[in-house]
Amino acid sequence: MSENTLEKSQEDVKQLDVPVEVDSASLRSDKTGFITTRLELWAFYVYYIGNNGLSGFNFGPSQFQNLLYLAGYDPSQPPFTSPCGSDTQCVLPYLGRVRDINSIVLLTNGISFAVQAVVLLLIGAWADYGQWRPNITIFFTIVAIAVSFAWLGVEDPSKWQAGVALYILGLITYQCALTFWTAAFPGLARDLPEVKESALHAAEGTKLREDHAQFESISRNRISNVSFAVSSVGEILILVVMVGILEGLHSSASTENNTKAFSVLIAFSGAVWLLCALPWFFLERRRPGLALPPNIPISHFLLLDGDVLNTSVTVIGTLQNSVVSYSTLQLTLLLIVGIVTQALGIYLFWIVQKKFQISTKTMLCFNVFWILILTVWGLIGIHTNKFGFKHVWEIWLYQAYYGLMVCPWYAYSQTMISEVSPLPQMFLFFALFSVIGKTSAFIGPFVSSAIITASGNNDNYPFVFLFTLGVVSCVFLYFVDVQKSRVECEEFVAAEVRREAFSETP
């Protein structure tokens, strides 16, 4: 495309009612000349092998709860005179009152998500401007890795307060690094050679806009799903190595060995993350962001949505840890089952979507139904000990079910938000999406913690709240109109172009 043609097309965007979301995006990428290479794409995939959540989302929280259990006491006896047992309740004084340790985990989890929401509100919009995007990802990644190594100094139950700080920092940095890494994939999809060619045909009128939108949507889904598949395969290999580490540490020989093993696994996860992150740090093309509009403050609003999955996984995770008695070997083997089925589930969902050209929203709605089933299963355990994540066999079944039917949500929710966001401000809207999730995620644990306390430490009662919230969320999701959203995005971009807010940073 010649420079004269480019300038004329940009002028047309300002004056005419043209498909801005197609034309302006393709023109912008042609002008900058960025093309997503196979090497850059694989660096993106490999980063996710390291940022797999083992340190901040899996073993970190498990070690935190393990330290609470070892430091806690049986509330039926005088404080700190009788240790917690497998058949007794376990409490500790925390934030002004004596609480069940599962309630402490949920409350701390809520604090973590609240801090994440504030952080994303402060920096989320900045990620769309200048060269901030890669730097934000690098910063949170490095801090998260440092937190992983810091766990090596927290191996004694008496240091459980330090575990609170590491637990919060680990979750914040893991989630923020994941948020800004994830937000890179729409740009990678847009700059794929085949997508650029399709956009050019759409701009020239030789291809229907709807056909191009569908083609780019499938391309985004492909990158998102492949990244999860690659991460799953890599994570399986990491977990297999971890089993060997646990054997070498004799983790099953004593409680002390098991507690030390938790910290070693977290640090090992951090080391792997560093190795996997370095290629992305150097190979990511620093695609220019927006020029900061004069006299325009950067801010966005805190919204609320029903992110049931985050809280459900946290609640089930606390139940899982106690059911398997905080065994590092058991938890590692359970993760292997979960990751193997996750890879299979994501692959099967993608094959079905690709074969039948199913929309992202339809796939997401199908996926959400199975998330609700989790909450129903938890509800059963309120008044019975036969079911409700209370037995080892249920935990094994949960890991397989979670991988097959629930994990695809992470891929499709990311693609869904990319399809209802204006491309030039994709990072801002991904940050906003994360804020929405973190808002409900800190409300969920706070409410769940309060429910557990009010119910006499019944750890299954939060599923009443989660099921209700999940049903409401499904109703809102059903009424999302993707086609209307695309039109609204085009109108938004056109309005911003008229005041030249999207001029590129030199």
Side-chain angles (χ1 to χ4, degrees):
M1 180 181 292
S2 68
E3 187 69 18
N4 289 337
T5 303
L6 177 62
E7 293 175 356
K8 182 178 184 302
S9 298
Q10 289 175 322
E11 187 64 30
D12 289 342
V13 168
K14 295 180 181 180
Q15 297 179 358
L16 304 176
D17 182 18
V18 296
V20 178
E21 186 71 11
V22 173
D23 290 356
S24 64
S26 62
L27 291 173
R28 180 174 183 273
S29 61
D30 284 341
K31 183 179 179 181
T32 58
F34 287 107
I35 297 177
T36 301
T37 64
R38 180 175 293 272
L39 190 61
E40 183 185 17
L41 198 57
W42 272 97
F44 177 80
Y45 294 152
V46 170
Y47 176 92
Y48 199 23
I49 295 177
N51 187 8
N52 50 40
L54 287 178
S55 58
F57 192 72
N58 295 117
F59 289 117
S62 295
Q63 173 69 316
F64 175 53
Q65 189 176 349
N66 175 54
L67 293 173
L68 294 177
Y69 176 78
L70 295 175
Y73 63 88
D74 183 351
S76 65
Q77 305 296 324
F80 298 104
T81 60
S82 179
C84 300
S86 58
D87 298 325
T88 64
Q89 292 183 347
C90 188
V91 298
L92 272 173
Y94 186 70
L95 296 182
R97 66 178 300 175
V98 175
R99 303 175 189 271
D100 179 84
I101 63 169
N102 288 351
S103 177
I104 294 175
V105 172
L106 289 169
L107 189 57
T108 309
N109 189 267
I111 293 171
S112 169
F113 283 127
V115 175
Q116 288 176 50
V118 173
V119 170
L120 290 170
L121 279 170
L122 292 175
I123 69 171
W126 282 99
D128 277 305
Y129 295 88
Q131 301 290 335
W132 287 87
R133 291 175 284 185
N135 297 333
I136 292 173
T137 304
I138 292 171
F139 171 78
F140 281 116
T141 300
I142 291 174
V143 177
I145 292 170
V147 171
S148 299
F149 285 110
W151 275 105
L152 290 173
V154 184
E155 299 176 355
D156 189 272
S158 63
K159 298 180 179 180
W160 69 268
Q161 292 93 339
V164 173
L166 293 182
Y167 174 73
I168 292 174
L169 278 174
L171 279 178
I172 292 172
T173 52
Y174 158 67
Q175 292 284 0
C176 288
L178 184 63
T179 293
F180 291 106
W181 166 83
T182 299
F185 91 90
L188 292 174
R190 179 198 65 200
D191 287 341
L192 287 170
E194 61 270 25
V195 175
K196 290 168 72 74
E197 182 180 0
S198 175
L200 182 61
H201 290 318
E204 293 173 344
T206 59
K207 185 174 185 177
L208 293 176
R209 291 172 53 200
E210 292 77 9
D211 291 343
H212 169 70
Q214 175 67 11
F215 181 77
E216 184 168 355
S217 174
I218 291 296
S219 297
R220 289 179 182 177
N221 275 288
R222 175 167 59 85
I223 291 177
S224 184
N225 282 288
V226 170
S227 68
F228 273 87
V230 171
S231 176
S232 298
V233 173
E235 194 171 351
I236 292 168
L237 296 177
I238 294 170
L239 288 168
V240 170
V241 173
M242 285 181 169
V243 172
I245 292 174
L246 293 175
E247 290 296 324
L249 293 173
H250 305 288
S251 62
S252 301
S254 67
T255 300
E256 292 75 15
N257 285 8
N258 187 70
T259 303
K260 179 180 180 180
F262 266 124
S263 294
V264 171
L265 294 185
I266 297 169
F268 177 72
S269 299
V272 172
W273 189 355
L274 178 61
L275 291 176
C276 293
L278 289 175
W280 179 241
F281 290 170
F282 291 104
L283 294 175
E284 180 187 7
R285 302 294 301 276
R286 291 182 173 249
R287 294 165 173 83
L290 310 178
L292 187 62
N295 303 319
I296 300 297
I298 299 177
S299 63
H300 42 77
F301 296 99
L302 186 67
L303 303 177
L304 179 62
D305 190 15
D307 190 352
V308 177
L309 181 57
N310 282 337
T311 306
S312 295
V313 169
T314 302
V315 172
I316 296 172
T318 60
L319 297 173
Q320 172 181 275
N321 291 334
S322 59
V323 168
V324 301
S325 302
Y326 308 97
S327 167
T328 50
L329 181 59
Q330 278 263 56
L331 290 171
T332 303
L333 294 175
L334 284 166
L335 281 173
I336 291 176
V337 172
I339 301 305
V340 169
T341 53
Q342 170 184 297
L344 181 60
I346 290 173
Y347 177 76
L348 291 176
F349 269 66
W350 165 240
I351 289 299
V352 171
Q353 181 188 23
K354 183 179 179 181
K355 179 177 178 60
F356 297 102
Q357 295 292 296
I358 303 173
S359 70
T360 303
K361 177 187 172 181
T362 300
M363 296 298 295
L364 190 62
C365 288
F366 176 74
N367 190 217
V368 167
F369 169 78
W370 302 106
I371 296 175
L372 284 179
I373 298 300
L374 282 181
T375 63
V376 173
W377 191 264
L379 280 172
I380 299 174
I382 292 177
H383 299 295
T384 178
N385 289 322
K386 294 182 179 179
F387 303 100
F389 307 109
K390 298 184 178 183
H391 304 278
V392 174
W393 68 266
E394 287 183 281
I395 301 302
W396 286 94
L397 180 61
Y398 158 71
Q399 286 292 345
Y401 176 88
Y402 175 75
L404 280 172
M405 307 306 298
V406 176
C407 280
W409 179 89
Y410 295 104
Y412 286 109
S413 62
Q414 293 169 5
T415 308
M416 182 70 178
I417 194 63
S418 74
E419 294 192 4
V420 295
S421 303
L423 185 60
Q425 287 185 311
M426 189 65 70
F427 264 71
L428 185 151
F429 279 84
F430 261 93
L432 182 60
F433 172 66
S434 291
V435 168
I436 294 170
K438 301 306 176 287
T439 304
S440 60
F442 77 69
I443 291 174
F446 283 154
V447 173
S448 298
S449 176
I451 290 174
I452 289 175
T453 302
S455 64
N457 297 329
N458 187 320
D459 295 327
N460 284 75
Y461 254 105
F463 287 107
V464 176
F465 163 71
L466 294 171
F467 173 75
T468 304
L469 194 61
V471 172
V472 173
S473 299
C474 288
V475 173
F476 279 107
L477 177 61
Y478 177 79
F479 286 105
V480 172
D481 189 329
V482 177
Q483 295 300 325
K484 182 179 179 181
S485 295
R486 287 174 180 161
V487 173
E488 291 173 343
C489 286
E490 292 172 7
E491 293 173 348
F492 172 79
V493 172
E496 295 294 283
V497 166
R498 282 193 290 271
R499 66 181 180 88
E500 298 182 346
F502 290 165
S503 59
E504 292 160 7
T505 302

